[in-house]
């Protein structure tokens, strides 16, 4: 071998050997935790991908978050718990309702924080929102937010909802064809309705949501900038969820800066105008000003905007799936309409707060809709103290701080062990006389425990009121455009159906 060849071989080895050692060290670092569940004798998902664990399908858009977690739920069979890995972190999927109670209620102090977090500098108006806030800040913001949902304030909001319903009907009727019907994609329609309610009630402004070209900073466009499916937005959310340190370095937030600045400036200017004029109104911005000191601008903004972030996506999603389910279940639709007409007759044909509260069957329809189509298909918690969990089958696991606990909302709602004929749409599951037939912690549509959805009463009232107006005035028919099973869009964490939910609204000409 020539001297040149020897020199080249030496140089190649000098490069290859260190590179190989570095690659090996990186590999060992990425996989070092992947024997965690094997050592604890917990059934677990096999073949984690180095660095990604078992969530690579989220990054490749092969799975929606809810359906991926439901896949784990199905894989565990009758086991009480099932291990997997989120990136490099051990995660335990729970199926035992009593373990779910343990995590969400009994030992809440060990699991008080959600996985998703935001950074104050990148998301100043979300950092104090109860869903994102952690530890003591969560408790402070939760207490303040809960004041939004008193009976007095819900009655004021119902006045707003009634006005928006009038605009919604005008919008629907503009598209009526010669046969009296109007076809709509429900997520799009109810996004406008939801945005209009929020604009009027939370921001004290007109939303212009039903206009052909609402302004850039109309609430409906602001909401779309934040919530609507987008590959770039989804990748940013994945980084926020699973690589929070990277998100901080990259300065990734949920709300675009220009949108955040607009919301902050609008609320500050509006609040100043209110204070100077002494005007008193029934919107939530006024209530927030009454609850907080004038100088507490950050909390005022967080409180006023909480309805946008807690209500827009949930309300539009539940309404969309609920109207779709009513359109394909004629007997349920007819029964719900009969209840609406009967209740309205008792209240002088006025949709009052008391009338809405008396729509019991309609509430069961909503609950059953949320069982079949939860807004978010999973609940993910971070363990913050060492704790041992033991299931009904004597399986046990030891959790450490930063370990992850996952509950598949979709999996629990569709589990045949907990629900008979789980794929069937049967609102009477939620009849009070049937409540004892299912475990409280197998229905997680609103979450449960101390971090149960704070806007549950508000959301229920809005959904029932809008649905009641629609049932009173329209027959709902499933559109021929609906074909095949519903598939969730994989570029969002929310429950958005690929190709949409299409329904025909046929005007009812008269009522007996």
């Amino acid at each position: 071998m020539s001297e040149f060849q020897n020199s080249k071989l030496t140089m190649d080895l000098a490069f290859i050997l260190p590179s190989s050692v570095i690659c090996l060290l990186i590999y060992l670092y990425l996989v070092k935790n992947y024997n965690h569940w094997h050592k604890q004798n917990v059934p677990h998902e096999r073949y984690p991908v180095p660095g990604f664990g078992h969530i690579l399908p989220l990054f490749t858009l092969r799975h929606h978050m809810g359906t991926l977690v439901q896949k784990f739920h199905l894989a565990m069979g009758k086991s009480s718990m099932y291990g997997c890995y989120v990136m490099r972190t051990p995660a335990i999927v729970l199926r035992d309702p009593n373990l779910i109670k343990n995590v969400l209620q009994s030992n809440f102090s060990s699991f008080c924080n959600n996985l998703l977090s935001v950074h104050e500098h990148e998301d100043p108006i979300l950092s104090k929102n109860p869903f994102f806030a952690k530890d003591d800040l969560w408790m402070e913001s939760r207490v303040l937010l809960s004041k939004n949902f008193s009976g007095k304030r819900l009655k004021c909001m119902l006045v707003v909802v009634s006005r928006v319903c009038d605009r919604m009907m005008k919008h629907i009727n503009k598209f009526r064809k010669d046969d009296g019907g109007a076809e709509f994609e429900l997520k799009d329609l109810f996004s406008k309705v939801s945005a209009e309610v929020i604009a009027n009630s939370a921001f004290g402004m007109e939303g212009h949501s039903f206009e052909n070209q609402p302004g850039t900073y109309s609430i409906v466009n602001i909401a779309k900038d934040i919530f609507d499916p987008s590959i770039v937005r989804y990748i940013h959310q994945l980084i926020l969820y699973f690589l929070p340190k990277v998100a901080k370095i990259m300065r990734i937030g949920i709300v675009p800066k220009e949108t955040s600045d607009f919301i902050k400036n609008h609320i500050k200017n509006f609040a100043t105008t209110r204070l100077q004029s002494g005007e008193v109104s029934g919107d939530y911005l006024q209530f927030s000003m009454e609850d907080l000191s004038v100088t507490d601008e950050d909390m005022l903004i967080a409180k006023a905007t909480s309805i946008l972030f807690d209500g827009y996506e949930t309300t539009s999603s539940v309404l969309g799936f609920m109207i779709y389910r009513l359109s394909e279940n004629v007997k349920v639709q007819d029964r719900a309409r009969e209840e609406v007409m009967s209740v309205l007759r008792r209240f002088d044909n006025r949709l009052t707060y008391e009338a809405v509260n008396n729509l019991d069957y309609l509430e069961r329809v909503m609950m059953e809709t949320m069982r079949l189509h939860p807004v978010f298909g999973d609940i993910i918690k971070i363990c913050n103290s060492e704790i041992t969990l033991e299931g009904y089958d004597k399986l046990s696991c030891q959790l450490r701080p930063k370990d992850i606990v996952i509950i598949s909302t979709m999996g629990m709602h569709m589990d045949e062990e907990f629900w008979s004929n789980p794929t069937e749409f049967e609102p009477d599951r939620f009849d009070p006389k049937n409540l004892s037939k299912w475990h409280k912690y197998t229905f997680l549509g609103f979450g449960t425990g101390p971090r149960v959805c704070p806007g549950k009463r508000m959301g229920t009232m809005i959904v029932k009121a809008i649905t009641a107006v629609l049932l009173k005035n329209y027959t709902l028919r499933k559109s021929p455009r609906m074909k095949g099973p519903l598939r969730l869009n994989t570029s969002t964490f929310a429950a958005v159906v690929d190709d949409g939910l299409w329904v025909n609204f046929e005007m009812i000409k008269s009522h007996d």
Side-chain angles (χ1 to χ4, degrees):
M1 185 178 294
S2 68
E3 184 176 340
F4 173 77
Q5 289 174 321
N6 284 332
S7 175
K8 185 175 184 302
L9 178 60
T10 301
M11 291 177 62
D12 288 344
L13 289 174
F15 174 77
I16 292 171
L17 287 176
S19 300
S20 299
V21 170
I22 290 171
C23 289
L24 178 61
L25 290 175
I26 291 173
Y27 174 80
L28 292 175
Y29 170 77
L30 293 176
V31 303
K32 64 178 284 190
N33 292 327
Y34 290 168
N35 64 346
H36 180 81
W37 297 122
H38 177 74
K39 289 194 294 186
Q40 295 205 41
N41 294 316
V42 172
H44 54 277
E45 190 80 355
R46 301 176 66 189
Y47 309 119
V49 177
F52 287 94
H54 294 106
I55 64 169
L56 182 61
L58 298 180
F59 288 85
T60 58
L61 302 182
R62 288 181 54 206
H63 262 292
H64 180 273
M65 182 70 173
T67 60
L68 179 63
V69 173
Q70 186 181 24
K71 175 176 171 283
F72 300 153
H73 184 99
L74 292 170
M76 67 201 298
K78 301 294 184 182
S79 299
S80 61
M81 59 183 69
Y82 189 71
C84 64
Y85 298 95
V86 173
M87 308 298 279
R88 298 175 57 251
T89 304
I92 193 76
V93 184
L94 301 181
R95 181 177 173 274
D96 180 349
N98 290 318
L99 279 182
I100 293 173
K101 178 182 179 181
N102 190 327
V103 167
L104 300 183
Q105 180 76 54
S106 307
N107 280 300
F108 173 76
S109 60
S110 296
F111 305 97
C112 60
N113 294 327
N114 294 328
L115 175 64
L116 180 59
S117 61
V118 296
H119 302 291
E120 184 175 359
H121 292 298
E122 309 311 323
D123 272 307
I125 66 176
L126 284 189
S127 61
K128 291 183 174 64
N129 182 285
F131 180 82
F132 301 100
K134 298 184 182 298
D135 303 317
D136 293 340
L137 180 58
W138 164 75
M139 181 62 72
E140 178 188 357
S141 60
R142 172 84 181 202
V143 169
L144 286 171
L145 180 61
S146 64
K147 295 181 181 180
N148 274 350
F149 309 118
S150 66
K152 172 187 173 182
R153 298 183 182 190
L154 292 180
K155 287 180 180 179
C156 291
M157 175 167 271
L158 185 59
V159 174
V160 172
V161 173
S162 296
R163 291 201 303 262
V164 172
C165 283
D166 291 340
R167 297 174 201 166
M168 173 186 69
M169 287 184 57
K170 290 178 181 177
H171 179 72
I172 292 173
N173 292 338
K174 280 196 307 185
F175 293 89
R176 286 171 59 193
K177 301 174 184 175
D178 293 339
D179 60 5
E183 184 184 57
F184 285 92
E185 198 288 305
L186 298 178
K187 186 65 171 67
D188 179 66
L189 173 63
F190 292 124
S191 291
K192 292 180 172 68
V193 174
S194 182
E196 195 68 20
V197 169
I198 290 165
N200 282 256
S201 61
F203 291 91
M205 60 189 285
E206 292 300 318
H208 307 292
S209 304
F210 298 111
E211 296 179 3
N212 290 333
Q213 293 182 322
T216 303
Y217 290 112
S218 68
I219 295 298
V220 69
N221 280 334
I222 287 174
K224 286 180 177 180
D225 282 343
I226 299 168
F227 295 105
D228 275 13
S230 156
I231 299 296
V232 172
R233 188 179 301 116
Y234 178 65
I235 295 299
H236 283 178
Q237 290 174 350
L238 285 173
I239 295 171
L240 272 169
Y241 246 110
F242 304 118
L243 297 167
K245 292 181 181 178
V246 174
K248 189 173 184 179
I249 294 171
M250 294 177 64
R251 306 193 69 177
I252 292 174
I254 293 178
V255 182
K257 186 178 186 304
E258 58 273 18
T259 302
S260 178
D261 290 343
F262 169 78
I263 291 174
K264 288 191 292 184
N265 291 333
H266 168 77
I267 291 177
K268 288 178 182 179
N269 293 337
F270 204 75
T272 301
T273 302
R274 284 279 178 87
L275 289 170
Q276 291 174 348
S277 67
E279 178 187 352
V280 176
S281 67
D283 58 52
Y284 275 67
L285 184 56
Q286 181 73 42
F287 293 141
S288 296
M289 290 168 60
E290 293 172 0
D291 292 339
L292 297 160
S293 67
V294 178
T295 58
D296 194 356
E297 289 183 346
D298 288 343
M299 192 58 80
L300 174 64
I301 291 166
K303 194 167 188 292
T305 57
S306 64
I307 297 175
L308 171 61
F309 295 101
D310 298 337
Y312 170 83
E313 185 64 37
T314 53
T315 300
S316 60
S317 179
V318 174
L319 276 167
F321 283 113
M322 187 168 170
I323 297 303
Y324 171 75
R325 284 291 179 175
L326 287 170
S327 74
E328 66 173 8
N329 290 272
V330 177
K331 289 183 179 179
V332 174
Q333 181 183 158
D334 289 344
R335 183 175 169 188
R337 182 178 292 106
E338 288 172 8
E339 180 190 57
V340 168
M341 302 310 296
S342 174
V343 168
L344 287 178
R345 282 193 291 268
R346 286 161 45 200
F347 289 89
D348 299 324
N349 208 36
R350 294 170 54 242
L351 195 65
T352 64
Y353 180 69
E354 292 74 18
V356 173
N357 284 339
N358 274 270
L359 295 171
D360 298 328
Y361 183 69
L362 201 57
E363 186 161 336
R364 292 178 221 162
V365 173
M366 184 195 76
M367 299 287 277
E368 177 69 346
T369 299
M370 294 180 70
R371 186 189 67 81
L372 287 168
H373 308 286
V375 178
F376 298 101
D378 53 84
I379 298 171
I380 307 182
K381 295 290 185 180
I382 295 288
C383 181
N384 58 28
S385 62
E386 290 189 6
I387 190 171
T388 299
L389 300 180
E390 183 174 327
Y392 52 62
D393 50 6
K394 303 304 178 183
L395 282 173
S396 67
C397 65
Q398 294 178 337
L399 298 179
R400 309 160 302 182
K402 297 186 179 179
D403 284 350
I404 294 172
V405 176
I406 300 174
I407 301 162
S408 173
T409 306
M410 295 172 68
M412 293 299 294
H413 288 186
M414 300 301 289
D415 197 312
E416 292 183 350
E417 183 173 341
F418 307 127
W419 303 92
S420 61
N421 303 315
T423 60
E424 298 299 316
F425 185 65
E426 299 176 1
D428 279 331
R429 297 179 201 273
F430 293 92
D431 189 306
K433 68 176 181 287
N434 293 327
L435 297 184
S436 61
K437 296 179 181 179
W438 49 272
H439 194 293
K440 177 182 176 182
Y441 288 85
T442 59
F443 176 75
L444 302 166
F446 291 103
T448 189
R451 288 194 86 139
V452 66
C453 175
K456 177 180 177 180
R457 289 179 63 202
M458 180 188 75
T460 299
M461 181 195 72
I462 293 173
V463 168
K464 288 167 65 178
I466 292 170
T467 305
V469 169
L470 292 172
L471 287 173
K472 177 188 174 184
N473 292 281
Y474 302 97
T475 298
L476 310 171
R477 305 289 187 201
K478 183 177 175 181
S479 169
R481 295 179 68 162
M482 294 299 305
K483 293 183 174 67
L486 303 183
R487 294 187 303 273
L488 294 182
N489 188 305
T490 58
S491 62
T492 175
F493 285 96
V496 178
V497 175
D498 275 340
D499 302 321
L501 297 167
W502 294 87
V503 165
N504 282 310
F505 294 77
E506 299 176 2
M507 177 68 77
I508 297 174
K509 294 181 180 179
S510 63
H511 302 290
D512 294 333

